[in-house]
């Protein structure tokens, strides 16, 4: 499988009043395969947005090699418009065109691309059909975010950058958004997203990278991150009015023993493995000061 994104040795510092400079990205290597959904996870200030903005061509880097769809976003030369035509971007928030309606702004953005999607279909796919005649400044936060997503996909991108796409979405809207992202993946779109929602990363991502203090501390599938697939299972049940639990590599044996001992239904029996969130917290807990 070819790479949609290749990053080697990426570094970025910002000037800082406190101590001269702030290292935002401290030497990142990254490879995102064509057609994959890749999630960047990490605490506030870890360097996710800076990395994504460099890949989008919005930010200069100090050093490192970057290739997005075969081009260096900071050195596009005469390929600029050809490259931008293949890139979809959903920023953390946009504040333009407050007086326009949803359908006006989506139709307007469509004109920037050579082969855009149908604006009405895009508005429907993000669940804004009943707001298509509403002015942008009357939308709720979550509706506004859905509009941002519509603007990111209107150009039929080959690669879509989503920076915290579902912040402010209600649970139903989040699930509808996940379906939309899966549909884009099935069309072959490569997707790089940042998110603070571990359930979102688990639901969508083929692979995740955890960034802390500008460095990637692990890249893996959501299932295998931090040894999650080999972590002990937690068997828990109710006995004499209190909850008991055992951590074990052999949960089936443990449950069989419990069934024999109780001779009937084991009260409130559960068998669980660590969630992605638990693994993530323990991973970053060891790294954050
Ligand atoms: P969040 O999850 O909060 O969005 P992030 O992982 O996206 O965080 P970045 O926005 O990339 O993190 O910020 C990385 C670091 O760089 C932070 O310490 C931030 O304060 C700093 N930083 C970001 N943008 C600038 C800027 N324009 N000028 C100076 N410092 C900046």
């Amino acid at each position: 499988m070819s790479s949609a994104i290749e990053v080697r040795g990426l570094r970025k510092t910002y000037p800082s009043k406190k101590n001269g400079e702030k290292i935002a990205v401290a030497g990142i290597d990254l490879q995102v395969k064509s057609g994959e959904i890749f999630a960047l996870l990490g605490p506030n200030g870890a360097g996710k947005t800076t990395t994504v903005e460099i890949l989008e061509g919005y930010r200069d880097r100090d050093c490192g090699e970057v290739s997005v769809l075969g081009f260096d976003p900071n050195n596009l030369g005469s390929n600029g418009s050809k490259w931008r035509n293949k890139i979809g971007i959903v920023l953390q928030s946009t504040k333009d065109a407050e007086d326009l309606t949803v359908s006006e702004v989506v139709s307007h953005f469509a004109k920037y691309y050579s082969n855009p999607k149908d604006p009405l279909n895009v508005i429907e796919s993000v669940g804004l059909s009943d707001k298509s005649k509403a002015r942008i400044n009357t939308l709720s936060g979550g509706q506004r975010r859905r509009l941002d997503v519509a603007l990111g996909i209107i150009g039929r991108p080959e690669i879509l950058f989503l920076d915290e796409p579902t912040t402010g979405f209600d649970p139903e809207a989040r699930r509808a958004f996940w379906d939309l992202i899966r549909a884009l993946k099935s069309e072959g779109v490569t997707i790089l997203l940042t998110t603070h929602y571990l359930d979102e990363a688990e639901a969508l991502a083929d692979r995740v990278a955890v960034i802390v203090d500008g460095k990637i501390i692990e890249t893996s599938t959501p299932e295998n991150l931090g040894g999650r697939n080999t972590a002990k299972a937690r068997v828990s049940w109710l006995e004499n009015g209190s909850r008991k639990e055992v951590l074990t590599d052999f949960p089936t044996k443990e449950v069989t023993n419990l069934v024999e001992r109780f001779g009937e239904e084991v009260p409130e029996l559960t068998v669980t493995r660590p969630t992605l969130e638990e693994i993530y917290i323990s991973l970053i807990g060891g790294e954050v000061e």
Side-chain angles (χ1 to χ4, degrees):
M1 210 188 258
S2 62
S3 289
I5 299 173
E6 291 262 9
V7 173
R8 243 173 262 129
L10 180 64
R11 286 180 66 86
K12 173 72 184 173
T13 51
Y14 293 109
S16 154
K17 281 193 191 121
K18 236 195 304 172
N19 41 11
E21 62 179 27
K22 162 77 198 169
I23 302 173
V25 179
I28 277 183
D29 297 334
L30 193 65
Q31 187 197 34
V32 179
K33 295 173 211 151
S34 290
E36 128 174 283
I37 302 181
F38 194 98
L40 291 179
L41 309 176
N44 290 134
K48 304 178 296 297
T49 299
T50 301
T51 302
V52 170
E53 287 180 349
I54 290 168
L55 300 181
E56 293 167 344
Y58 279 150
R59 219 171 254 298
D60 291 338
R61 58 191 187 263
D62 298 345
C63 61
E65 290 165 38
V66 176
S67 166
V68 177
L69 297 178
F71 291 99
D72 179 340
N74 267 3
N75 194 10
L76 292 165
S78 59
N79 295 302
S81 58
K82 191 171 125 202
W83 183 80
R84 267 185 207 97
N85 209 33
K86 299 180 183 179
I87 305 285
I89 293 176
V90 177
L91 301 166
Q92 279 199 12
S93 70
T94 46
K95 282 256 174 286
D96 305 329
E98 293 285 330
D99 286 340
L100 297 180
T101 66
V102 167
S103 93
E104 282 168 346
V105 82
V106 176
S107 301
H108 178 70
F109 267 69
K111 294 190 187 117
Y112 291 127
Y113 298 95
S114 60
N115 183 24
K117 295 187 174 213
D118 173 42
L120 286 182
N121 284 349
V122 168
I123 290 168
E124 191 187 349
S125 70
V126 298
L128 280 181
S129 292
D130 59 341
K131 290 282 172 190
S132 76
K133 298 275 173 287
R135 290 192 193 287
I136 293 175
N137 56 14
T138 66
L139 298 179
S140 74
Q143 289 163 347
R144 185 61 200 254
R145 206 73 196 106
R146 295 193 213 183
L147 174 62
D148 293 335
V149 174
L151 300 181
I153 64 176
I154 186 70
R156 209 182 293 278
E158 282 181 31
I159 181 163
L160 181 62
F161 293 100
L162 297 160
D163 199 357
E164 299 181 25
T166 60
T167 302
F169 278 28
D170 61 42
E172 198 188 350
R174 175 166 291 137
R175 272 169 179 70
F177 170 81
W178 293 353
D179 288 342
L180 171 65
I181 295 304
R182 291 185 188 113
L184 291 169
K185 179 185 159 80
S186 71
E187 291 170 21
V189 180
T190 305
I191 293 159
L192 179 68
L193 83 143
T194 73
T195 184
H196 288 292
Y197 300 114
L198 279 299
D199 59 342
E200 183 157 288
E202 178 132 49
L204 293 179
D206 298 302
R207 289 189 303 144
V208 300
V210 179
I211 303 188
V212 177
D213 287 341
K215 293 190 213 86
I216 293 183
I217 58 169
E218 190 171 339
T219 304
S220 183
T221 61
E223 297 77 26
N224 292 356
L225 191 79
R228 186 180 175 208
N229 51 328
T230 52
K232 289 184 190 304
R234 187 182 303 272
V235 178
S236 170
W237 67 98
L238 202 66
E239 190 165 356
N240 300 328
S242 64
R243 186 149 281 284
K244 311 276 183 205
E245 66 174 39
V246 172
L247 283 176
T248 174
D249 288 321
F250 304 102
T252 310
K253 190 160 164 261
E254 195 63 41
V255 170
T256 308
N257 290 344
L258 282 168
V259 171
E260 271 174 21
R261 193 149 67 74
F262 278 84
E264 52 182 21
E265 189 65 24
V266 181
E268 296 185 26
L269 174 68
T270 58
V271 180
T272 52
R273 303 269 180 185
T275 63
L276 183 58
E277 182 151 314
E278 285 166 337
I279 291 286
Y280 167 80
I281 295 288
S282 69
L283 266 179
I284 65 164
E287 302 283 336
V288 175
E289 293 149 25

mmCIF file of all heavy atoms in Angstrom, residues 14-15 22 24 42-50 59 92 164 196, ligand 1:
data_model
loop_
_atom_site.group_PDB
_atom_site.id
_atom_site.type_symbol
_atom_site.label_atom_id
_atom_site.label_comp_id
_atom_site.label_asym_id
_atom_site.label_seq_id
_atom_site.Cartn_x
_atom_site.Cartn_y
_atom_site.Cartn_z
ATOM 1 N N TYR A 14 8.066 27.434 18.552
ATOM 2 C CA TYR A 14 7.443 28.759 18.525
ATOM 3 C C TYR A 14 8.234 29.656 19.466
ATOM 4 O O TYR A 14 8.752 29.178 20.485
ATOM 5 C CB TYR A 14 6.003 28.699 19.040
ATOM 6 C CG TYR A 14 5.041 27.941 18.176
ATOM 7 C CD1 TYR A 14 4.539 26.696 18.594
ATOM 8 C CD2 TYR A 14 4.596 28.453 16.961
ATOM 9 C CE1 TYR A 14 3.622 25.999 17.823
ATOM 10 C CE2 TYR A 14 3.681 27.754 16.183
ATOM 11 C CZ TYR A 14 3.201 26.537 16.618
ATOM 12 O OH TYR A 14 2.295 25.852 15.846
ATOM 13 N N PRO A 15 8.295 30.959 19.157
ATOM 14 C CA PRO A 15 8.912 31.870 20.127
ATOM 15 C C PRO A 15 8.083 31.898 21.403
ATOM 16 O O PRO A 15 6.856 31.812 21.339
ATOM 17 C CB PRO A 15 8.868 33.239 19.430
ATOM 18 C CG PRO A 15 8.210 33.048 18.122
ATOM 19 C CD PRO A 15 7.740 31.646 17.989
ATOM 20 N N LYS A 22 9.444 27.573 22.504
ATOM 21 C CA LYS A 22 8.626 26.431 22.937
ATOM 22 C C LYS A 22 8.727 25.376 21.832
ATOM 23 O O LYS A 22 8.371 25.637 20.685
ATOM 24 C CB LYS A 22 7.174 26.904 23.117
ATOM 25 C CG LYS A 22 6.143 25.802 23.147
ATOM 26 C CD LYS A 22 6.111 25.090 24.463
ATOM 27 C CE LYS A 22 5.414 23.750 24.324
ATOM 28 N NZ LYS A 22 5.566 22.884 25.485
ATOM 29 N N ALA A 24 7.220 22.708 20.010
ATOM 30 C CA ALA A 24 5.863 22.163 19.861
ATOM 31 C C ALA A 24 5.906 20.773 19.243
ATOM 32 O O ALA A 24 5.141 19.889 19.630
ATOM 33 C CB ALA A 24 5.015 23.091 18.995
ATOM 34 N N GLY A 42 -3.464 12.753 22.011
ATOM 35 C CA GLY A 42 -2.472 13.370 22.892
ATOM 36 C C GLY A 42 -3.109 14.473 23.702
ATOM 37 O O GLY A 42 -4.130 15.042 23.295
ATOM 38 N N PRO A 43 -2.524 14.791 24.866
ATOM 39 C CA PRO A 43 -3.118 15.817 25.725
ATOM 40 C C PRO A 43 -3.076 17.202 25.090
ATOM 41 O O PRO A 43 -2.389 17.395 24.077
ATOM 42 C CB PRO A 43 -2.256 15.771 26.997
ATOM 43 C CG PRO A 43 -1.070 14.940 26.686
ATOM 44 C CD PRO A 43 -1.313 14.187 25.427
ATOM 45 N N ASN A 44 -3.765 18.160 25.681
ATOM 46 C CA ASN A 44 -3.740 19.549 25.212
ATOM 47 C C ASN A 44 -2.292 20.018 25.110
ATOM 48 O O ASN A 44 -1.497 19.789 26.021
ATOM 49 C CB ASN A 44 -4.485 20.483 26.177
ATOM 50 C CG ASN A 44 -5.989 20.255 26.170
ATOM 51 O OD1 ASN A 44 -6.606 20.175 27.210
ATOM 52 N ND2 ASN A 44 -6.583 20.143 25.004
ATOM 53 N N GLY A 45 -1.989 20.670 24.001
ATOM 54 C CA GLY A 45 -0.647 21.233 23.837
ATOM 55 C C GLY A 45 0.418 20.233 23.431
ATOM 56 O O GLY A 45 1.608 20.555 23.410
ATOM 57 N N ALA A 46 0.015 19.004 23.065
ATOM 58 C CA ALA A 46 0.994 17.955 22.737
ATOM 59 C C ALA A 46 1.681 18.191 21.391
ATOM 60 O O ALA A 46 2.762 17.665 21.145
ATOM 61 C CB ALA A 46 0.313 16.592 22.725
ATOM 62 N N GLY A 47 1.026 18.964 20.507
ATOM 63 C CA GLY A 47 1.629 19.226 19.190
ATOM 64 C C GLY A 47 0.831 18.658 18.027
ATOM 65 O O GLY A 47 1.297 18.661 16.882
ATOM 66 N N LYS A 48 -0.400 18.224 18.269
ATOM 67 C CA LYS A 48 -1.206 17.604 17.214
ATOM 68 C C LYS A 48 -1.592 18.614 16.140
ATOM 69 O O LYS A 48 -1.389 18.385 14.950
ATOM 70 C CB LYS A 48 -2.489 16.988 17.812
ATOM 71 C CG LYS A 48 -2.231 15.987 18.916
ATOM 72 C CD LYS A 48 -3.509 15.444 19.511
ATOM 73 C CE LYS A 48 -4.398 16.455 20.216
ATOM 74 N NZ LYS A 48 -3.793 17.095 21.414
ATOM 75 N N THR A 49 -2.176 19.749 16.580
ATOM 76 C CA THR A 49 -2.634 20.746 15.606
ATOM 77 C C THR A 49 -1.461 21.302 14.816
ATOM 78 O O THR A 49 -1.549 21.483 13.594
ATOM 79 C CB THR A 49 -3.399 21.878 16.328
ATOM 80 O OG1 THR A 49 -4.532 21.310 16.971
ATOM 81 C CG2 THR A 49 -3.865 22.956 15.358
ATOM 82 N N THR A 50 -0.355 21.559 15.499
ATOM 83 C CA THR A 50 0.820 22.079 14.803
ATOM 84 C C THR A 50 1.251 21.105 13.704
ATOM 85 O O THR A 50 1.491 21.498 12.557
ATOM 86 C CB THR A 50 1.980 22.299 15.803
ATOM 87 O OG1 THR A 50 1.540 23.211 16.805
ATOM 88 C CG2 THR A 50 3.218 22.832 15.119
ATOM 89 N N ARG A 59 1.447 25.949 7.913
ATOM 90 C CA ARG A 59 2.466 26.339 8.875
ATOM 91 C C ARG A 59 3.839 25.914 8.377
ATOM 92 O O ARG A 59 3.975 24.828 7.806
ATOM 93 C CB ARG A 59 2.176 25.643 10.211
ATOM 94 C CG ARG A 59 2.445 26.524 11.377
ATOM 95 C CD ARG A 59 1.949 25.925 12.655
ATOM 96 N NE ARG A 59 0.754 26.556 13.171
ATOM 97 C CZ ARG A 59 0.663 27.824 13.541
ATOM 98 N NH1 ARG A 59 1.698 28.641 13.452
ATOM 99 N NH2 ARG A 59 -0.472 28.297 13.994
ATOM 100 N N GLN A 92 -10.236 23.710 13.370
ATOM 101 C CA GLN A 92 -10.904 23.646 14.676
ATOM 102 C C GLN A 92 -12.129 24.550 14.713
ATOM 103 O O GLN A 92 -13.085 24.263 15.378
ATOM 104 C CB GLN A 92 -9.926 23.966 15.805
ATOM 105 C CG GLN A 92 -9.075 22.748 16.158
ATOM 106 C CD GLN A 92 -8.437 22.854 17.516
ATOM 107 O OE1 GLN A 92 -8.783 23.723 18.306
ATOM 108 N NE2 GLN A 92 -7.496 21.977 17.793
ATOM 109 N N GLU A 164 -10.132 17.686 15.598
ATOM 110 C CA GLU A 164 -11.198 17.598 16.602
ATOM 111 C C GLU A 164 -12.573 17.810 15.970
ATOM 112 O O GLU A 164 -13.304 18.745 16.318
ATOM 113 C CB GLU A 164 -10.952 18.603 17.734
ATOM 114 C CG GLU A 164 -9.636 18.317 18.456
ATOM 115 C CD GLU A 164 -9.367 19.279 19.609
ATOM 116 O OE1 GLU A 164 -10.330 19.824 20.152
ATOM 117 O OE2 GLU A 164 -8.194 19.444 19.966
ATOM 118 N N HIS A 196 -9.898 14.051 21.035
ATOM 119 C CA HIS A 196 -9.729 13.759 22.460
ATOM 120 C C HIS A 196 -10.688 12.657 22.900
ATOM 121 O O HIS A 196 -10.708 12.285 24.065
ATOM 122 C CB HIS A 196 -9.973 15.016 23.306
ATOM 123 C CG HIS A 196 -8.874 16.017 23.176
ATOM 124 N ND1 HIS A 196 -7.605 15.788 23.668
ATOM 125 C CD2 HIS A 196 -8.825 17.229 22.591
ATOM 126 C CE1 HIS A 196 -6.831 16.835 23.397
ATOM 127 N NE2 HIS A 196 -7.553 17.719 22.742
HETATM 128 P P1 LIG B 1 -4.991 20.713 21.786
HETATM 129 O O1 LIG B 1 -5.319 19.278 22.079
HETATM 130 O O2 LIG B 1 -5.181 21.576 22.987
HETATM 131 O O3 LIG B 1 -5.625 21.243 20.541
HETATM 132 P P2 LIG B 1 -2.436 20.286 20.388
HETATM 133 O O4 LIG B 1 -1.900 18.928 20.677
HETATM 134 O O5 LIG B 1 -3.142 20.466 19.108
HETATM 135 O O6 LIG B 1 -3.370 20.755 21.594
HETATM 136 P P3 LIG B 1 -0.731 22.476 19.544
HETATM 137 O O7 LIG B 1 -1.837 23.425 19.292
HETATM 138 O O8 LIG B 1 -0.032 21.913 18.362
HETATM 139 O O9 LIG B 1 -1.202 21.282 20.508
HETATM 140 O O10 LIG B 1 0.323 23.234 20.482
HETATM 141 C C1 LIG B 1 1.571 22.653 20.812
HETATM 142 C C2 LIG B 1 2.334 23.640 21.679
HETATM 143 O O11 LIG B 1 2.714 24.780 20.901
HETATM 144 C C3 LIG B 1 1.549 24.197 22.862
HETATM 145 O O12 LIG B 1 2.423 24.345 23.949
HETATM 146 C C4 LIG B 1 1.063 25.551 22.378
HETATM 147 O O13 LIG B 1 0.938 26.447 23.464
HETATM 148 C C5 LIG B 1 2.186 25.976 21.458
HETATM 149 N N1 LIG B 1 1.681 26.806 20.350
HETATM 150 C C6 LIG B 1 0.760 26.454 19.441
HETATM 151 N N2 LIG B 1 0.551 27.437 18.533
HETATM 152 C C7 LIG B 1 1.377 28.456 18.914
HETATM 153 C C8 LIG B 1 1.649 29.761 18.373
HETATM 154 N N3 LIG B 1 1.019 30.193 17.287
HETATM 155 N N4 LIG B 1 2.558 30.513 19.025
HETATM 156 C C9 LIG B 1 3.209 30.069 20.122
HETATM 157 N N5 LIG B 1 3.000 28.849 20.667
HETATM 158 C C10 LIG B 1 2.111 28.052 20.068
#
